[in-house]
Amino acid sequence: MGTDQSIILETRNLTKTFLGFTAVDDVNLQIQRGHIHALIGPNGAGKTTCFNLLTKFLKPSQGKIFFEGKEITGDQPADIARKGIIRSFQISAVFPQLSVLENVRIALQRNTGLSFHFWRSGSSLKPLDNRAQELLAEVDLADFAQELTVNLPYGRKRALEIATTLAMEPSLMLLDEPTQGMGHEDVNRVTQLIKQVSAGRTILMVEHNMKVVSSIADRITVLARGAVLAEGDYAAVSNNPAVMEAYMGTSQGELEGAQA
């Protein structure tokens, strides 16, 4: 790989086939450090499969993956996380019967080496409280610290997931459908939150909501049938006739409203 320090993650000819079906087809990505990079496309375009390849939940059929200039194609999921690639999922992944603060504190345990020391009392984790409070403030949840997570509105739960992701000190955050299933108010809140926490960080996100993508993404890669259809800023991809066609609409307005 080259020595371009501005590129934090690169894929070369990344391909995944399932019983003859090609879900990801010769995909070349370059994720620039400090950017919000969106991966979009119609249903079945291969976005989540691509995420699963990057985080090693799936093994590529062909191609290579590089992170921070080093090949990680053969690494295991835990190795990927330790290197600083941290992923959130479409389905909420928080502990509902713990408080908001406790959820973040558990995530902070990862860097202490005490993640599996279940015999320790809760008081042993008190030194993590200040950092947990700082992270909650960063995602506008400081006032909810002692609330049981099960009682949080859906949009706030997604904000908590972002806080727990930040607790693991990612070099690269992978956000899978961060606004899926949200009402308008929550979408706006989480969109601004992603923009807010992106300062000094790199984010790669799969997102269906084009208004979200247009407002915060620095660069967009469009997938269709597993292959890269277009890449560029929002103005470039939204005016690309092939992209409009892929989204089943022939007008820019239809693309902007698509929830593909």
Side-chain angles (χ1 to χ4, degrees):
M1 185 179 176
T3 58
D4 187 349
Q5 296 300 307
S6 70
I7 303 301
I8 191 170
L9 181 77
E10 180 181 7
T11 69
R12 293 182 182 176
N13 310 113
L14 192 63
T15 301
K16 181 63 180 179
T17 59
F18 298 96
L19 300 175
F21 170 73
T22 302
V24 173
D25 186 4
D26 200 33
V27 169
N28 295 299
L29 292 175
Q30 288 191 331
I31 310 304
Q32 191 163 346
R33 194 182 307 277
H35 278 195
I36 299 177
H37 194 125
L39 195 62
I40 71 170
N43 285 333
K47 305 181 297 295
T48 296
T49 302
C50 192
F51 256 38
N52 286 336
L53 291 169
L54 295 177
T55 50
K56 313 312 297 176
F57 288 92
L58 288 174
K59 182 179 179 181
S61 303
Q62 296 180 45
K64 295 181 178 182
I65 306 169
F66 299 87
F67 179 67
E68 298 279 18
K70 297 179 180 178
E71 187 176 355
I72 61 168
T73 313
D75 287 9
Q76 297 300 311
D79 299 325
I80 297 298
R82 278 191 288 268
K83 284 181 168 68
I85 302 176
I86 307 296
R87 175 183 179 177
S88 75
F89 291 84
Q90 292 182 22
I91 300 170
S92 182
V94 291
F95 297 101
Q97 297 305 324
L98 295 180
S99 73
V100 170
L101 180 70
E102 287 169 332
N103 266 278
V104 178
R105 206 166 60 183
I106 286 173
L108 286 168
Q109 281 181 256
R110 173 180 172 270
N111 289 333
T112 68
L114 303 177
S115 298
F116 298 104
H117 290 198
F118 299 116
W119 61 87
R120 289 177 176 265
S121 70
S123 61
S124 68
L125 300 178
K126 284 292 185 183
L128 301 177
D129 282 359
N130 286 342
R131 178 59 181 149
Q133 290 281 11
E134 290 173 0
L135 288 167
L136 289 177
E138 192 168 352
V139 300
D140 301 324
L141 286 178
D143 293 339
F144 296 84
Q146 302 306 321
E147 184 69 58
L148 280 183
T149 300
V150 69
N151 296 331
L152 289 182
Y154 182 67
R156 298 287 188 183
K157 286 180 182 174
R158 298 300 279 186
L160 176 57
E161 289 177 23
I162 292 175
T164 58
T165 302
L166 292 174
M168 292 183 277
E169 299 183 0
S171 301
L172 174 63
M173 295 176 63
L174 274 63
L175 304 181
D176 196 359
E177 303 282 11
T179 68
Q180 185 181 48
M182 291 183 185
H184 180 72
E185 183 178 339
D186 280 338
V187 167
N188 288 341
R189 179 185 297 116
V190 172
T191 300
Q192 292 308 310
L193 175 59
I194 293 169
K195 182 66 174 176
Q196 180 178 313
V197 303
S198 71
R201 300 183 175 101
T202 307
I203 295 176
L204 175 62
M205 59 188 284
V206 168
E207 180 55 61
H208 281 154
N209 190 317
M210 292 300 103
K211 290 182 179 178
V212 173
V213 171
S214 67
S215 64
I216 63 173
D218 299 297
R219 192 165 185 83
I220 301 165
T221 299
V222 185
L223 295 183
R225 299 183 180 89
V228 174
L229 182 64
E231 189 168 276
D233 61 17
Y234 182 75
V237 300
S238 64
N239 287 292
N240 186 310
V243 174
M244 296 179 197
E245 182 66 24
Y247 272 88
M248 297 167 46
T250 56
S251 72
Q252 183 175 354
E254 286 179 318
L255 171 61
E256 290 174 344
Q259 301 294 312

